[in-house]
Amino acid sequence: MTKSELSKYKHVLEAEQAELLHLVRNREGIAIEKSPDAFDEVQHATERELAIRNLDRESNLLRNVRGALRRIEDGSFGVCLHCEEDIGLKRLAAVPWAAFCIQCQEIADRSQGGGAGSLDEWLVNAA
Ligand SMILES: [Zn+2]
């Protein structure tokens, strides 16, 4: 990968990171908000649940984005963490924080039964 391609990805990832940080901070506010009113409390419980689910997803994504930025720094960006093959440019264009090539990602998704489990967990199990 060329230097200018790398800096393009870095740009995209940094923007994504900033946006996610913003979202995660806002959600933390909703997730801990308490209401003294019982009716509000029910409403809040639903909102909280949703906020926590989104927060979960966004924190995961944020972790992936940070990992990708770290890989840009240490020069391993664009290489599959599992099989060490190059990740396709098309895949990187769609998912700049991809840590795995499409084949390894599919295996990971399958082994998770389509759930939103963490890839770290999968890596530990696959090791
Ligand atoms: Zn791979």
Side-chain angles (χ1 to χ4, degrees):
M1 190 171 296
T2 65
K3 263 207 161 99
S4 74
E5 274 175 318
L6 263 185
S7 77
K8 190 186 76 192
Y9 282 115
K10 192 174 177 200
H11 225 75
V12 170
L13 286 162
E14 277 171 346
E16 185 72 31
Q17 177 176 245
E19 197 186 319
L20 283 167
L21 272 175
H22 182 75
L23 277 172
V24 165
R25 277 204 199 107
N26 282 350
R27 295 229 197 273
E28 274 168 353
I30 302 169
I32 55 172
E33 195 181 312
K34 272 269 183 188
S35 168
D37 187 300
F39 179 78
D40 273 6
E41 192 51 42
V42 174
Q43 179 93 23
H44 271 297
T46 317
E47 277 171 24
R48 251 202 315 273
E49 207 177 292
L50 192 71
I52 288 166
R53 238 196 331 254
N54 284 332
L55 185 61
D56 222 48
R57 209 190 47 223
E58 283 149 11
S59 321
N60 265 331
L61 193 54
L62 186 57
R63 212 170 42 203
N64 290 339
V65 168
R66 280 184 171 147
L69 281 167
R70 218 164 33 231
R71 289 194 299 280
I72 286 179
E73 295 305 321
D74 70 19
S76 63
F77 180 78
V79 177
C80 175
L81 285 184
H82 188 244
C83 69
E84 296 181 355
E85 294 287 330
D86 284 350
I87 300 173
L89 285 179
K90 251 201 212 151
R91 174 159 166 73
L92 282 177
V95 190
W97 51 86
F100 302 102
C101 68
I102 194 83
Q103 283 90 352
C104 292
Q105 184 66 60
E106 275 170 7
I107 297 168
D109 289 347
R110 255 204 305 276
S111 74
Q112 287 166 9
S118 87
L119 277 173
D120 300 338
E121 221 172 274
W122 173 75
L123 269 182
V124 169
N125 292 333

